[in-house]
Each structure stands twice: as structure tokens, then as C-alpha cells.
Amino acid sequence: MADLSLLQQETDALFSRKKWIGFAVPAVILTYFVYVFFAFDIPGLAQRAKMENAVILASDSWSYKTHVTRSHRDGAIDYAIEGERKGRYPEGTRPDWVSGEDEVVVDLGDGAIVTLFPDNYTEIDVPGFGKIEAQLEGGKITTNRGNDVPDWIKAGPRRVSVFTENGRVTLTRSKTEIFRYAGGWELFFFTLASPYHGVGLGKILFGDQIDPERSNLQGAWQDFWGNPMWRHGDVLWAIGETILMAFLGTFGAAMVALPLAFLAAKRFTPILALRFGMRRIFDFVRGVDGLIWTIVLARAFGPGPMTGALAILITDTGTFGKMFSEALENVDNKQIEGVSSTGAKPLQRYRFGVIPQIVPVLIAQVLYFLESNTRSATIIGAITGGGIGLLLTQAMQTQKDWEEVAYYIVLVIVMVMVMDWLSGWLRGRLIGKKD
Amino acid sequence: MTDATAQIKANYMALTSRRRLYGGLTLLIFVLLMASGFSIAEDRNAGGFWEGLHRLGDYPAAVLSEAWEKRADLPMLLVKYLPSLIETINIAAVSTLIGAMGGLVLSLLATRGLARWPWAIPLVRRALDIMRAVPEIVIALVLIFVLGGGPVPAMIAIAIHTVGALGKMFSEVAENADLKPVDGLKSTGASWSQQMLLGVIPQVAPNYLSYTLLRFEINIRASAILGFVGAGGIGYELRNSMAWGPGRFDEAAAIFILLFGTIVLFDQVSSRYRNRLTEGTQ
């Protein structure tokens, strides 16, 4: 009877302890979250956040604008996509939504029409609102609407802006600028300067020769690959550089770490000091971390893929060294004994008794790291200046070409997924499927 | 009889030599790939490998010697950068916690036999794959543009990646969980969340915790490196101190020491605790 009550007491104590833990753990986590909520100043985030940036990002990443610019000095009209020189319409051509010779009519879609008259006079016809007339004279812009205008018109003596559904008109003293927005990634295949722009794939492949100097396929490939707007060739090189960094870093680290791992494993290195020293070296190299290695190496070797590859190589030598030496500790002695019973020398014992046992573990780890290092190489590239990471950060910092940012992001994700698939496939081929 | 053994021997030798040939070829291709890869990387690098090699020690030496000269200031600098170190650790901790909670729920939803909605398993798995695939820097840069610099973009970026990474690992563990407790609970009319909480979680908790600790380690490194691209914490301070150049190397040294110490500390603690979790307490 006494036993039973003792048991009951113990059970009760255990239960109440579990109950206490059940409440305490969530409470601690919650308290921590509250602390971080204020430490990270999340209440102030609402003010700092720029929602208009989010809107720009969301709309600009899949749309582009065509600029129609009239200089107020000589009245010349220029047509360019994104206002860039490389996106300019060649002399004598213009978008098909522009018409007229002396009075140039620009159709902004949804019924909004802008007419550019001679002598720096502009009329903007907005459906449901009426005509806005603007005249530049003597360095001042006057409109027929006065100051009483809706908020999509900003009118002043120096600058008048009208925002419509698909476009925007801005008059300043030096120029009249019309933006017309459209969906899609413009000039993705060919720029306007290329003779292949607007030509269908079938025509390029099977049609008549378009450029007398080059065969269709060759010319189209050259113009696509060297597209000055999207720089497909350079971008692919950058992706290649990133993968190269990951490849060299991962496999280089594996090759360096394997012999060193023998020195750190108790089984193969009876000398305690050597073993201990080796392990501390692995710990040190890992502890310094890729970030610091990247900085130190970039000072010596300058920016580029070699620096990134070496940074990954050095950091992962530590990680692999630790993992491999743990794997080496766990090898089965029987196989080594069997090999040595045939009179094998030490090196042969390692080659036939040990290596076959650890190869599957090794390959699995190395391939897993290959995929994860592709991601690391992206970020290391952003720091050390190489690969797609650099292109991405540069495109983000200029805050202009959001289509390009979107393009790079898509490419990075595709790259990582392909590497993930590739490493899984290789693992399956080399050591057999897990399930 | 001797004929037969000779035959077997010849076959065996042929097989072995062919195997050796294949092995040698694979090795050759691999070596060629590595060599050409290194030469391409060297070509596209600003400085060459051999010219840079002897300069490798220059920067650490400059930093260390300057830090040694101004060693009296070092404790003060360590204290000065402690808050940003704590911010880095906080980023890692919060994103690990959020990632582990998200990963926990999604992993159960992605596991055959446990999922609340079996038809959604492929959907959840693809979602996890995508979250895992997007590099942290991509999300961080986009969020820095919208939210401004600071710890929050890094936290969200790392948390998303952690959900994907842990969700996959958790789901592999949950696949091996014993379903009997779940069936037992189901027979008493327990809801799905009760079945998971009482039937599955206790089985998988040690492994989950161990993976979460490993992730925490990785996330400290990630949050330091994201700071370098503008997301706050010690990495951000490091970039600033690097930009000052010589004369302020003592600050860089202080940050290196803090970062190194933190990584090694959490590495050791988590590896010790993980060993205890997976091998049990005896």
C-alpha cells in the first residue's frame, strides 16, 4: 500500500512538472517574441516601410514604359523604350500607336489621347474629364484648367504632370515627356536595332534571309545573345560563375578535407596531440565563417569567382573535415582486418578497407553541400563581386530596371532548383536511391 | 577444371580492368573539370592566385597588429559592438523559432499518413521546395527595398528559408513515426491537432529539436552575412568598419573576435546538446 502511494506521489509530481513545462515553454517563447517585437522596432516599421516601393516593384517587374520625348528647343521627337539609348527606335520608325506628322497624336489607350502641336503646345484628351491644354511660353507653362484640378493632375508654372490609366504626360521647360505603360518584358529577344525584332520564330528558321550578311540562325543567335538591353550572354556567364564557385569550392574542400580527416580520427591517428590539433584547426576554419574568409581573401586576390570559390573551399574544409572524421570513427574494423590479412600495406588497407565504407556517406554529404553552396555562392558573389549575386545587387541598387531584377530572381531560383535536382539525381546514381 | 578456373580468372581480370578503366576515366574527367574550372575562375578574377597567395596574410596581419597596438581599447570596442551582435543573434533566434513552427506544421501536412488533407501533400511539398530554393539574399534585398534596412528583412528572409529547410527534414523524420498512437487517439475522437500534438510530436521531438539547433547555428552565420548586404546586425557594422580602411582596423578586429567567438560558442553548445538529444541521456 505504501509503495502505491509513493508511486502515486511520484506520478503526480511528474505530471505537475510536465504541466508546468507545457505552460512555461510557450510563455518563454512568447515573452521573447514580445521583447524582439520592441527590440526590432516593429511598431516603427509601419512608418519606415515604403509601400510605394512595393507598388513599383510589383508593377514594374512585369511591365515596361515607352518614352515619347519632345525637346522644346528644336521640337525633335524621340521614341525610346524605358528612355534608354539601347531601346531607341531607329530613325524613321516609331510605335504604331503614334500617328500624324505636324500634329503628332499619341494614343495612351483607354481613350486617352495626347496631341503634340507645333510651337510647344500640347493637348491631352482624357475620357470623362475633357481636354487639358498646355502651352509653354516664355519659360512658363500655362494650362486651361487653372489651379482647380483633380489629384491626378499636378499643375505648376514649371512642371505639369498628368497621370492617366496607362500612361503619364509631363511637361517641363525643356521637354514634353509621354510615358505609355505596357505589360511584359520588352525587347527580351531582340532590341529594335536588330533586324530580327518582331519577326516570328518560324520566319527566322524557315523564311528568307533577313540580314544579307549573316544566315538567319546565326544572326538571330548573335543578336539575342548580345542583346544590349538584357545581356543574356553576360547573365548566363554570371550564372556559370556562381555554379563554378560552388563546384570548385565544394569538391576542392572535399579533396582537401579527406586526407586531413584521417589525421583527426582516433582510429587512424593514435597521436593525441596531432588529432587534437587537427580538430581545433577544423573548428577554427569553420568558426571564422565564410563571411570573414571572403573579406580576407578578397583583399589578397581581388574580387572575382576565384575568391568566392576559395572562401567556400576553406570554410567547407572545416565542415567536411569534421564530418569525414566522424564517419571514419564509425567504420567497421572487420573489413580492414580482412584486407590486412591478405598482407595489404597500410595504404592498400585504407584504399580497400576504409574508403569503400565511407564513400556513400561522403558522396551524400558533398552533393548536399553542392546544392547549398550554390545558394551561398550567390550571396558571396554579392560581397566579393562575381556571378549572378553581383548582377542582382547591382540591379537592385540602381532601383531602375525592375524587370531585370525579376529576371535575375527567376534565374537564381531556377539555378538552385536545377542544382538541387542534379545533386539528388547524382546521389541516386552513385549510391542508390534512399527510398 | 583448370580450364574453368582459368576462364573465371580471365573474366574476373577483364571485369576488374574495365572497372579500373571506368574509374580512372571518371577521375580524369573530374580532375580536368577541376583544373579547367580553376583556370577559368582565375581568368575572371581581378587578381591571380599565385600573385595573391603571398599577400594572403597581409590583411589579417595588418588587422591583428593594429588591434594589438590598440589593445587597451579592445574591451571598450567589444562592448560597443555587443548590441549589434545581440541583434544578429536575435535575428537568427527569431527566424529559427518562426521557421521551426512553420516547418513543424507544414511537415506534418506534407507527410503521407499524417496529413490533414492528403490531396494537398504535393502542394505543400512544392511550397517547401520553393521556400528552400529561394536564396535568403533575394528575399532580403527585395524586403530592404520595401521596408528599409534593419533586422526585419533579414529575419523574414531567413525565416522563409528555414521553414523550407526544416519542413523537409522534419517531414523525413515524421515519415518514420509510429502511427499506432495516432490510431489510438483517433479512436477516442481526438481532433487532427490533438492527434499530432499528443501522438506524433512526442515521438519526433528529439530529432526535431536537434535539427532546429543545427539550423540555429546555420542561421547565425546567415544573419551575419545578410547584415553585410544591409540588413542590420554585426555584419552591417563590419561592412562600415571595413569601409573606413586602415586606422580603424581595431574596430574590424573587435567585430571579428565577437563573430568568431559567437559562432564557436553556439557551435559547441548546440553540438553537445544535439549529441545528448540523439543518443539519449544516460
Side-chain angles (χ1 to χ4, degrees), chain A residues 24-302:
Chain A
V25 170
V28 167
I29 292 178
L30 198 70
T31 323
Y32 180 65
F33 276 151
V34 170
Y35 153 70
V36 165
F37 186 81
F38 290 104
F40 285 3
D41 191 24
I42 290 176
L45 195 67
Q47 292 163 8
R48 278 180 286 134
K50 297 193 199 97
M51 277 309 140
E52 67 267 23
N53 280 355
V55 174
I56 291 173
L57 195 64
S59 59
D60 271 19
S61 55
W62 59 272
S63 73
Y64 69 97
K65 57 189 189 301
T66 310
H67 295 214
V68 177
T69 316
R70 174 165 73 171
S71 162
H72 284 166
R73 279 187 202 91
D74 52 8
I77 298 179
D78 190 53
Y79 306 93
I81 282 170
E82 292 288 353
E84 288 181 48
R85 186 144 26 101
K86 46 200 178 196
R88 217 152 136 190
Y89 280 77
E91 277 304 313
T93 59
R94 58 188 188 181
D96 53 8
W97 35 267
V98 180
S99 57
E101 281 307 318
D102 294 332
E103 297 167 11
V104 176
V105 180
V106 180
D107 184 358
L108 283 186
D110 291 326
I113 285 168
V114 185
T115 317
L116 300 168
F117 291 96
D119 296 326
N120 297 339
Y121 173 61
T122 304
E123 258 184 34
I124 305 152
D125 193 2
V126 180
F129 181 73
K131 272 207 170 79
I132 305 156
E133 296 163 11
Q135 171 76 52
L136 175 81
E137 223 165 19
K140 270 180 74 177
I141 307 165
T142 44
T143 66
N144 62 336
R145 293 284 170 172
N147 285 329
D148 184 27
V149 287
D151 58 359
W152 47 269
I153 300 177
K154 302 228 164 23
R158 288 159 175 279
R159 186 189 183 87
V160 174
S161 300
V162 178
F163 296 84
T164 69
E165 202 67 20
N166 284 319
R168 180 175 140 191
V169 185
T170 312
L171 280 93
T172 60
R173 275 153 61 163
S174 62
K175 62 190 177 194
T176 307
E177 211 170 18
I178 304 165
F179 295 167
R180 188 185 201 266
Y181 293 95
W185 286 351
E186 80 294 351
L187 311 179
F188 185 74
F189 296 103
F190 306 109
T191 51
L192 294 164
S194 161
Y196 304 98
H197 179 77
V199 181
L201 182 66
K203 240 180 166 176
I204 289 175
L205 286 180
F206 308 111
D208 301 331
Q209 191 160 342
I210 298 168
D211 187 339
E213 310 234 314
R214 303 174 292 182
S215 77
N216 274 358
L217 208 58
Q218 185 201 1
W221 176 253
Q222 279 174 355
D223 283 4
F224 168 72
W225 198 242
N227 183 335
M229 201 94 166
W230 290 87
R231 310 199 334 250
H232 296 292
D234 294 345
V235 171
L236 213 79
W237 250 116
I239 297 252
E241 249 176 35
T242 303
I243 294 175
L244 188 68
M245 282 192 247
F247 172 78
L248 292 178
T250 314
F251 287 102
M255 290 194 314
V256 175
L258 187 59
L260 295 182
F262 278 95
L263 294 180
K266 198 191 270 171
R267 235 274 177 47
F268 304 95
T269 309
I271 310 160
L272 181 81
L274 183 62
R275 209 164 68 217
F276 188 79
M278 212 58 240
R279 286 195 183 166
R280 288 296 85 78
I281 289 175
F282 288 153
D283 283 345
F284 173 77
V285 162
R286 254 152 39 85
V288 170
D289 193 36
L291 174 62
I292 300 175
W293 282 122
T294 309
I295 293 167
V296 170
L297 292 171
R299 294 271 163 158
F301 301 118

Side-chain angles (χ1 to χ4, degrees), chain A residues 32 35-36 50 53 57 241 284 286-287 289 295 297 299 301 303-307 375 399 402 412 416 420, chain B residues 42 44-47 49 52-53 55-56 90 93-94 132-133 135 141-142 145-146 161 221 238 242 256 260 267:
Chain A
Y32 180 65
Y35 153 70
V36 165
K50 297 193 199 97
N53 280 355
L57 195 64
E241 249 176 35
F284 173 77
R286 254 152 39 85
D289 193 36
I295 293 167
L297 292 171
R299 294 271 163 158
F301 301 118
M306 168 68 97
T307 308
R375 261 181 277 113
Q399 306 205 340
W402 293 108
V412 166
V416 176
D420 189 15
Chain B
E42 174 147 351
R44 294 179 73 86
N45 213 56
F49 180 72
L53 199 59
R55 275 183 287 148
L56 189 58
N90 274 338
V94 173
R132 213 156 39 89
L141 284 174
V142 168
F145 177 62
V146 175
H161 182 76
R221 293 161 190 262
L238 180 60
M242 301 258 314
F256 283 150
F260 177 72
D267 217 67

